[in-house]
C-alpha cells in the first residue's frame, strides 16, 4: 500500500498523487434491482454513461489507480467534488465521512496480516449517491466478496434496497475483518504470558514489543473508524436512510467492542513487558544471592 509521501507543499486541492507502480485500473459494475443483478467488466469509462440512463441502482467498483485519465472520467460522470476524489485516491487517509452536495463520502480501512507477518490497513473510499455507489480501492483484498455473493444470489433485502444499504453492508464486512486480527494478537499475548513465567527468553520480549507495535497501528486505524460510523448514524444526510442508520448503529457496536479489545490488549502487552523485566530481575537477584554465598565461604579460605 503506497503512502502519500510525494505530496508537495502548496499543491492545489484535487491533485492526485499516483505512484508509477500503481496497479492498472479496472472497473467492475453491478446493476441491480429487486428482480435481478448484472455484473459487467468495463475497459472504457465511456461505457458507463449509457448504463446510468437505465434507471437501476448501480455499484461501480474502481480497482487500481494506474490510469488517472480513466479515474477522472468516472469522477466526471458522477460529478464528484475534486476534494472527494483526492481523498479517494491519495491514500492512506484517516477514516472519516464528509457530506458533499451530490454525494456522501466515507473512508474506511480494514486490517489484514500480510505475507510478511506485518499489519496492513488498506483504504476503501465509498461515494454514496441517490442511485449509485462508487468504491475506490488500490487493489482487491477480498473484503467485498461475501457481499458480492449475496447481491448476486439475491440473499436478504439487498437488491430491493438502495445504494446506502449496499454501502452499509460493505462497510460492515470491512469492520468484520477487525475481529480475527485483534483476536489473534490477543491470543498471542496470552500464550506469551506462560513463557514469561516458565522461560523468560529474550525472544519473548521481542515478540511482546512486536505485538505492541501492531496493536498501536490497529488502534490508530480503529478509533477514527469508530468516529466515522458514529457520524454516519447521527449526522443527517440525504444519502443515508433512517433504516440504514439503524443498521449502522449495530456496526458501531461491533467496532466499539473491537476498540475495547485493542485497548485491553495494549494494556496487557505493557503488563507483560513489565512482568518479563521483573521476572528477569528476580532471577538475576537469586543468582547473585548464590554467588554472594559462595564468595562468603571461599574468599576467606583463599585469603587464609
Amino acid at each position: 500500500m503506497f503512502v502519500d509521501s510525494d505530496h508537495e507543499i502548496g499543491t492545489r486541492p484535487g491533485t492526485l498523487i499516483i505512484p508509477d507502480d500503481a496497479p492498472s485500473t479496472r472497473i467492475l459494475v453491478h446493476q441491480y434491482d429487486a428482480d435481478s443483478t448484472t455484473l459487467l467488466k468495463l475497459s472504457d469509462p465511456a461505457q458507463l454513461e449509457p448504463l446510468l440512463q437505465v434507471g437501476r441502482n448501480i455499484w461501480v467498483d474502481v480497482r487500481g489507480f494506474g490510469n488517472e485519465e480513466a479515474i477522472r472520467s468516472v469522477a466526471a460522470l458522477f460529478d464528484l467534488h475534486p476534494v472527494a476524489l483526492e481523498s479517494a485516491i491519495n491514500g492512506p487517509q484517516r477514516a472519516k465521512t464528509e457530506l458533499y452536495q451530490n454525494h456522501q463520502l466515507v473512508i474506511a480501512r480494514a486490517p489484514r496480516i500480510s505475507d510478511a507477518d506485518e499489519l496492513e490497513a488498506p483504504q476503501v473510499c465509498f461515494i454514496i449517491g441517490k442511485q449509485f455507489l462508487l468504491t475506490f480501492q488500490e487493489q482487491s483484498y477480498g473484503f467485498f466478496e461475501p457481499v458480492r455473493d449475496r447481491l448476486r444470489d439475491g440473499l436478504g433485502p439487498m437488491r430491493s434496497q438502495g445504494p446506502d444499504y449496499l454501502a452499509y453492508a460493505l462497510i460492515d464486512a470491512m469492520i468484520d475483518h477487525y475481529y480475527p486480527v485483534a483476536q489473534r494478537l490477543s491470543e498471542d499475548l496470552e500464550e506469551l504470558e506462560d513463557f514469561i513465567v516458565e522461560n523468560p527468553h529474550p525472544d519473548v520480549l521481542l515478540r511482546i514489543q512486536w505485538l505492541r507495535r501492531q496493536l498501536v497501528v490497529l488502534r490508530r486505524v480503529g478509533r477514527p473508524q469508530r468516529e466515522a460510523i458514529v457520524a454516519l448514524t447521527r449526522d443527517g444526510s440525504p444519502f443515508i436512510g433512517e433504516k440504514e442508520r439503524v443498521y449502522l448503529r449495530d456496526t458501531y457496536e461491533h467496532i466499539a467492542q473491537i476498540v475495547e479489545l485493542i485497548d485491553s490488549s495494549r494494556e496487557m502487552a505493557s503488563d507483560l513487558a513489565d512482568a518479563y523485566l521483573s521476572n528477569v530481575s528476580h532471577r538475576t537477584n537469586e543468582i547473585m544471592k548464590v554467588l554472594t554465598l559462595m564468595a562468603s565461604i571461599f574468599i576467606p579460605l583463599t585469603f587464609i
Side-chain angles (χ1 to χ4, degrees):
M1 179 177 59
F2 65 85
V3 178
D4 184 14
S5 58
D6 297 329
H7 198 286
E8 297 181 0
I9 297 175
T11 303
R12 65 180 179 84
T15 301
L16 303 186
I17 309 298
I18 300 177
D20 296 334
D21 59 347
S24 59
T25 302
R26 296 184 299 158
I27 303 174
L28 275 67
V29 178
H30 285 271
Q31 281 187 302
Y32 64 96
D33 52 30
D35 299 322
S36 63
T37 181
T38 305
L39 173 62
L40 303 172
K41 297 180 180 180
L42 306 184
S43 57
D44 186 353
Q47 298 173 293
L48 266 175
E49 189 168 3
L51 299 178
L52 301 180
Q53 313 301 325
V54 176
R56 303 170 72 192
N57 291 324
I58 188 170
W59 169 24
V60 179
D61 186 18
V62 180
R63 301 178 178 179
F65 303 148
N67 189 337
E68 182 177 349
E69 182 180 354
I71 292 172
R72 290 194 178 276
S73 296
V74 172
L77 283 174
F78 291 93
D79 193 22
L80 299 190
H81 194 282
V83 175
L85 183 61
E86 178 185 4
S87 297
I89 304 303
N90 295 352
Q93 301 278 337
R94 188 176 186 270
K96 62 180 180 179
T97 179
E98 294 180 3
L99 177 62
Y100 294 89
Q101 182 177 0
N102 300 321
H103 48 79
Q104 179 87 31
L105 176 141
V106 181
I107 298 292
R109 298 178 66 181
R112 62 186 294 270
I113 302 296
S114 68
D115 296 335
D117 201 31
E118 290 293 331
L119 181 64
E120 298 178 343
Q123 165 184 307
V124 177
C125 177
F126 298 85
I127 306 291
I128 308 169
K130 283 295 185 181
Q131 208 170 1
F132 68 86
L133 172 65
L134 285 176
T135 54
F136 293 90
Q137 46 185 332
E138 183 190 1
Q139 65 184 69
S140 177
Y141 292 96
F143 296 145
F144 296 163
E145 296 313 310
V147 179
R148 204 183 302 274
D149 292 341
R150 285 160 51 194
L151 182 63
R152 182 194 62 217
D153 298 336
L155 301 177
M158 189 174 300
R159 286 186 185 176
S160 59
Q161 302 296 322
D164 51 352
Y165 184 90
L166 177 58
Y168 144 73
L170 295 172
I171 294 172
D172 189 65
M174 294 187 68
I175 297 302
D176 287 344
H177 282 78
Y178 281 81
Y179 277 109
V181 175
Q183 191 65 33
R184 171 184 168 180
L185 297 177
S186 177
E187 291 174 354
D188 287 350
L189 287 171
E190 292 175 0
E191 292 178 1
L192 289 176
E193 187 173 12
D194 297 332
F195 286 105
I196 288 175
V197 176
E198 299 172 1
N199 182 26
H201 193 274
D203 290 343
V204 174
L205 182 60
L206 293 176
R207 184 65 178 176
I208 293 174
Q209 296 295 344
W210 181 87
L211 289 170
R212 186 155 56 179
R213 287 196 300 270
Q214 306 310 304
L215 288 166
V216 168
V217 174
L218 195 59
R219 185 175 184 268
R220 190 166 58 239
V221 173
R223 290 180 69 88
Q225 188 68 76
R226 182 181 62 180
E227 297 169 5
I229 294 177
V230 168
L232 284 175
T233 59
R234 294 181 179 176
D235 299 345
S237 171
F239 305 105
I240 306 293
E242 186 59 37
K243 292 182 179 179
E244 284 66 34
R245 290 193 182 95
V246 175
Y247 290 115
L248 285 168
R249 282 196 286 271
D250 182 67
T251 301
Y252 165 76
E253 292 296 332
H254 295 168
I255 188 62
Q257 292 176 6
I258 292 167
V259 171
E260 290 175 0
L261 174 61
I262 295 169
D263 288 340
S264 63
S265 296
R266 288 182 67 242
E267 293 178 3
M268 184 179 181
S270 298
D271 292 342
L272 288 179
D274 293 341
Y276 171 86
L277 296 176
S278 177
N279 195 9
V280 170
S281 177
H282 175 73
R283 291 196 172 201
T284 302
N285 290 337
E286 292 298 320
I287 294 173
M288 290 303 298
K289 287 181 180 179
V290 174
L291 293 178
T292 302
L293 179 60
M294 294 177 63
S296 299
I297 296 173
F298 290 104
I299 289 178
L301 294 178
T302 303
F303 175 76
I304 293 173

